[in-house]
Amino acid sequence: MGKKIVLLGAPGSGKGTQAALLSEKLGIPSISTGNILRAEIQGKTPLGLKVQAIMDAGKLVDGDLILDILSNRVSQADCQGGYILDGVPRTIEQAEKMEKAGIEVNCVLSINIPDQRVVDRMVGRRVCSACSAPFHLESAKPKQDGICDSCGGELVQRKDDKAETVQLRLDVYNAETAPLVDYYKGKGVLHDVEDQPEISSVTDAMLTVIEG
Ligand code: AMP
């Protein structure tokens, strides 16, 4: 059975960064429903137009829509050997729907990080407008200001990373998503990972759990 991993953690806890690193090390794809939705918005598709206002406001998109997107993605050939889910499920309801749909999860990594550090991270975060690679104005600077190291794309601030939306997203996380920690604990698949200043130390801690 492949590794079917969920990364749990507040927005700005480093899920996207770790998902990319784990994906490379483990050779399985990382799937971010947020990135998929942002691509739809950028492409001005009907789905993108539908979700744009909700996402900009930092609220959660409809769970059935998310499940459709996820089912489609995990049925693709590259997910046969496993996957890393980043930002999904976001609610217990989504987790239950995934289970019913046969989307398996056998390892949940929960990143513990204080709220204040999350706020600092999100406000300083910049992402590549072309490939979604994450950077930070202080802790993960690009080699050249405003330019993506990986693809040369332009770095932008996500609309929902503006200071006024960040607190709301944290509130949504604490109310809707944090209960998944106990949910997955009950299923015997939850592992806590402490946030650390070094990105690679967090990755190493995760790999120890995954390979252990
Ligand atoms: P993220 O990139 O994971 O921080 O997601 C950005 C935004 O996309 C969220 O604030 C939601 O509006 C939407 N979104 C992403 N994943 C989900 C999900 N699983 N359920 C509901 N909304 C989601």
Side-chain angles (χ1 to χ4, degrees):
M1 186 168 55
K3 306 282 184 199
K4 296 178 173 171
I5 300 168
V6 165
L7 297 187
L8 270 186
S13 61
K15 293 189 302 293
T17 300
Q18 296 300 336
L21 293 166
L22 290 177
S23 168
E24 202 174 302
K25 301 238 179 205
L26 299 171
I28 53 178
S30 74
I31 301 172
S32 154
T33 39
N35 282 347
I36 294 172
L37 292 169
R38 276 185 289 277
E40 297 281 341
I41 291 176
Q42 217 165 14
K44 297 192 166 41
T45 66
L47 173 60
L49 294 174
K50 190 170 157 184
V51 299
Q52 181 160 27
I54 299 169
M55 281 182 68
D56 285 352
K59 296 183 185 155
L60 291 185
V61 170
D62 173 69
D64 286 328
L65 212 154
I66 294 286
L67 196 79
D68 278 352
I69 292 173
L70 187 62
S71 299
N72 253 321
R73 182 63 190 89
V74 297
S75 65
Q76 288 169 23
D78 63 332
C79 293
Q80 291 308 306
Y83 42 73
I84 301 158
L85 304 184
D86 159 20
V88 65
R90 277 292 225 282
T91 63
I92 289 182
E93 199 188 340
Q94 286 183 17
E96 287 172 348
K97 283 183 173 156
M98 282 167 54
E99 238 174 272
K100 281 203 188 109
I103 303 173
E104 289 171 11
V105 170
N106 52 32
C107 177
V108 178
L109 301 167
S110 168
I111 307 176
N112 294 324
I113 179 170
D115 277 8
Q116 186 51 50
R117 208 178 307 158
V118 156
V119 173
D120 294 344
R121 288 242 187 114
M122 278 199 279
V123 173
R125 172 159 66 179
R126 296 295 179 270
V127 294
C128 176
S129 55
C131 76
S132 304
F135 295 87
H136 192 279
L137 293 181
E138 275 148 32
S139 57
K141 288 185 189 166
K143 293 197 180 89
Q144 206 183 329
D145 272 358
I147 306 287
C148 175
D149 290 355
S150 318
C151 80
E154 184 197 357
L155 300 186
V156 294
Q157 184 177 39
R158 282 169 45 172
K159 273 201 185 140
D160 60 354
D161 276 348
K162 304 238 188 294
E164 57 274 23
T165 318
V166 163
Q167 187 58 50
L168 180 100
R169 288 171 63 212
L170 256 180
D171 293 345
V172 169
Y173 178 79
N174 287 324
E176 305 275 349
T177 310
L180 281 169
V181 171
D182 279 341
Y183 176 85
Y184 282 122
K185 213 176 262 174
K187 304 213 170 265
V189 292
L190 188 97
H191 305 273
D192 284 301
V193 178
E194 296 308 315
D195 179 58
Q196 296 169 62
E198 282 290 326
I199 290 173
S200 62
S201 309
V202 180
T203 317
D204 289 345
M206 289 182 164
L207 286 169
T208 303
V209 169
I210 294 166
E211 285 159 359

